[in-house]
Amino acid sequence: MRAEDSATSGIRIAVEPVNGGLRQPAPARPGARRGTLLALLGVVTFSLTFPSTAWGLESFGPWSLVALRSLLATALAGGFLLAARARVPAREHWAGLAVVAGGVVVGFPLLTTLALRTSTTSHAAVVVGLLPLTTAAFSSVRTGTRPPRAFWAAAVAGAAVVIAFTVSQSGGALSAGDLFLFGALLVCAAGYTEGGRLAKVMPGWQVTGWALLLTLPLMLAGAAVALAYEPVRPSVHGVVGLVWVSAVSTFLGLYVWYRGMAEIGVARASQLQLAQPLLTLFWSFFLLGEEIAAAAPVAAVAVLVCIALTQRAARTRS
C-alpha cells in the first residue's frame, strides 16, 4: 500500500490499491482510534460518579459535598484556562454559560446527591439513564428541529420504562429521591443542550471551565455555610469520593469526553455512552456491595434499546 503526504494538512492519506477489481479496506485512522479510547474513558469516569458520590456522603453532608466538589473542580479548571490563555467569552455567551452552570455544575450534582441519601446508586443509574432522551427533547425545543415520529415514540417508550421502574421500586408511588432524580434530568438536559450550542463557538472543556468559574462566589458562600452546619467525618472512602467527583467527573471526565467527540463525532461517541447505566450497575455491586434488583438491568437494557432507536430514527431523518 502506498501513502502520500497531504500538503495541506500533514496527515498521511492512504491510497487504496484495487486488486482484481476489489477495493481493499483502508486501515482505521489513528485519530479515530484515539478518539474512541478518549470517549470510552469519559464514559467510564461518568459511570463512577454515583458510587463516588455515595462514598463522599460517608464523610460530608450533601450540601458540603456539592460545594467542595465545585470548588475543587473550579481550581482545576482555572489552572487549565490560565495555562491555555483562554479568551474570556463574549458577553452574549454568558447567559448560556449561566444555564450550563445552573444545570450541570449546580443543579445536577445537588439533586442527585440529595437523591442518593435515600436511593441506591443502581436505582439512580436507571432513572438517569433517560438523560440522552431528555436532552434530545430539550434540544429539539431549543433548536426548533422536528425529529420523526419514530424518534418520539421511542423516547416516550423509554420514559414509560423508567417511570414504571421507579414506581415499582418505590412501593407504588414516587419517592422524594425519585423526584430529585427527575428534577436532575430536567436541569442537566437544559445544561447539556446549552453547552452543546456553546461548544460550537469555544472548546467544550472551556464551556465547563467558565461555567465553573461563574459559580465560584456562590460555592464559596455555600461551602462556608454548609461546613458550619454539616459535620465532617473524614474517611478514606469520603476523601476518594470527593476527589473523584470534583477532579474527574466534573472536569477531567468532560475534558476527555469532549476531546473524544471532536475526534469521532457526536453520533459515534453517543453510542458508547449507552453503556453508562450498565457500567454504573456493575460499580454499584462491585464497589458498594449493593444488591441489584432484578428489574434494574432489565430496565437499563430497555432504556438502552429505546435510545438506540431514537438515534437510528434521527439518522434516518437526516
Side-chain angles (χ1 to χ4, degrees), residues 90-111:
R91 181 179 300 178
E92 61 266 23
H93 298 321
W94 284 104
L97 287 170
V99 175
V100 176
V104 179
V105 177
V106 179
F108 185 80
L110 177 60
L111 291 172

Side-chain angles (χ1 to χ4, degrees), residues 28 37 50 63 68 88 95 106 148 156 161 164 190 221 223 264 303:
L37 291 175
F50 285 172
W63 298 90
L68 292 175
V88 176
V106 179
V156 171
V161 168
I264 64 176
V303 171

